[in-house]
Amino acid sequence: MKSLFVNGEARAIEAATLAQVLEALDFTDAQVATALNGEFVPARARGATPVKDGDRIEILAPRQGG
């Protein structure tokens, strides 16, 4: 288990990559933007982006409207 901060909330998650974090949080099929420690991570790079204890992850869903 890793201790991660997801959208500001401390979470214990069993994951080695950002893609696995999204899977563990049921965001597998969702259209979201992600950032790791303040740096944008494109969807195609999530599987190759490792996570470690204390990392800060932001998961943002697009909004509709204007």
Side-chain angles (χ1 to χ4, degrees):
M1 288 282 184
K2 290 190 173 53
S3 179
L4 305 169
F5 293 91
V6 179
N7 294 346
E9 181 182 328
R11 305 285 297 259
I13 299 173
E14 184 65 40
T17 66
L18 184 53
Q20 290 174 348
V21 171
L22 292 175
E23 185 177 322
L25 297 173
D26 293 325
F27 283 104
T28 305
D29 296 324
Q31 295 292 329
V32 295
T34 55
L36 178 63
N37 298 321
E39 296 292 323
F40 173 72
V41 179
R44 67 184 176 280
R46 293 174 187 158
T49 302
V51 294
K52 61 185 183 321
D53 278 331
D55 276 350
R56 296 187 175 279
I57 298 166
E58 295 295 324
I59 303 170
L60 304 168
R63 294 183 134 187
Q64 297 287 350

